[in-house]
């Protein structure tokens, strides 16, 4: 069975309903949902979730659209469900004593 992903093209100007939808969809804490929203605002056309079934993708996309976001449902090469976690890169790019090191 093919898997799908949701690409967030634009976050709505009024972020409150968008954040609520993110919290419900991903069972996120408020801080996590806010960080994810800020990331999606900065980097347009970002993948929010990947590796999900089409009915789930369509349901989540509709909820995000109702919150005012512009989203697309696309085919995904990822087969395992995943949620965007923008902090991952920052956690591994910084070395000891907050000095920059090469990420592997």
């Amino acid at each position: 069975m093919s898997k799908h992903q949701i690409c967030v093209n634009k976050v709505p100007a009024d972020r409150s309903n968008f954040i609520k939808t993110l919290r419900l969809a991903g069972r996120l804490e408020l801080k996590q949902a806010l960080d994810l929203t800020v990331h999606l605002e900065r980097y347009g056309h970002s993948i929010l979730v990947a590796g999900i079934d089409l009915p789930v993708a369509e349901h989540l996309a509709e909820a995000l659209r109702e919150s005012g976001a512009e989203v697309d449902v696309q085919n995904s090469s990822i087969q395992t469900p995943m949620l965007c976690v923008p902090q991952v890169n920052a956690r591994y790019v910084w070395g000891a004593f907050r000095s920059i090191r090469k990420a592997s």
Side-chain angles (χ1 to χ4, degrees), residues 5-33:
Q5 62 191 24
I6 296 178
C7 179
V8 177
N9 298 320
K10 186 175 180 184
V11 174
D14 180 13
R15 302 183 313 181
S16 58
N17 286 335
F18 183 76
I19 291 171
K20 288 177 188 177
T21 303
L22 287 179
R23 291 190 69 198
L24 289 173
R27 293 187 179 183
L28 302 174
E29 298 293 328
L30 181 58
K31 174 76 167 112
Q32 292 172 309

Side-chain angles (χ1 to χ4, degrees), residues 1 10 17 27 40 46 61 63 69 73 77 85 88:
M1 180 180 221
K10 186 175 180 184
N17 286 335
R27 293 187 179 183
L40 294 170
S46 293
V73 175
S77 60
V85 181
V88 169

Side-chain angles (χ1 to χ4, degrees), residues 20-90:
K20 288 177 188 177
T21 303
L22 287 179
R23 291 190 69 198
L24 289 173
R27 293 187 179 183
L28 302 174
E29 298 293 328
L30 181 58
K31 174 76 167 112
Q32 292 172 309
L34 184 57
D35 288 346
L36 186 53
T37 301
V38 169
H39 173 80
L40 294 170
E41 283 178 330
R42 285 185 187 154
Y43 304 100
H45 308 291
S46 293
I47 303 301
L48 174 62
V49 293
I52 56 177
D53 295 328
L54 183 58
V56 176
E58 289 176 342
H59 178 74
L60 181 54
E62 185 58 33
L64 291 167
R65 286 182 190 116
E66 287 177 4
S67 74
E70 293 178 16
V71 300
D72 293 326
V73 175
Q74 306 167 343
N75 287 330
S76 176
S77 60
I78 308 283
Q79 295 299 310
T80 304
M82 296 184 179
L83 177 68
C84 177
V85 181
Q87 298 87 354
V88 169
N89 194 47

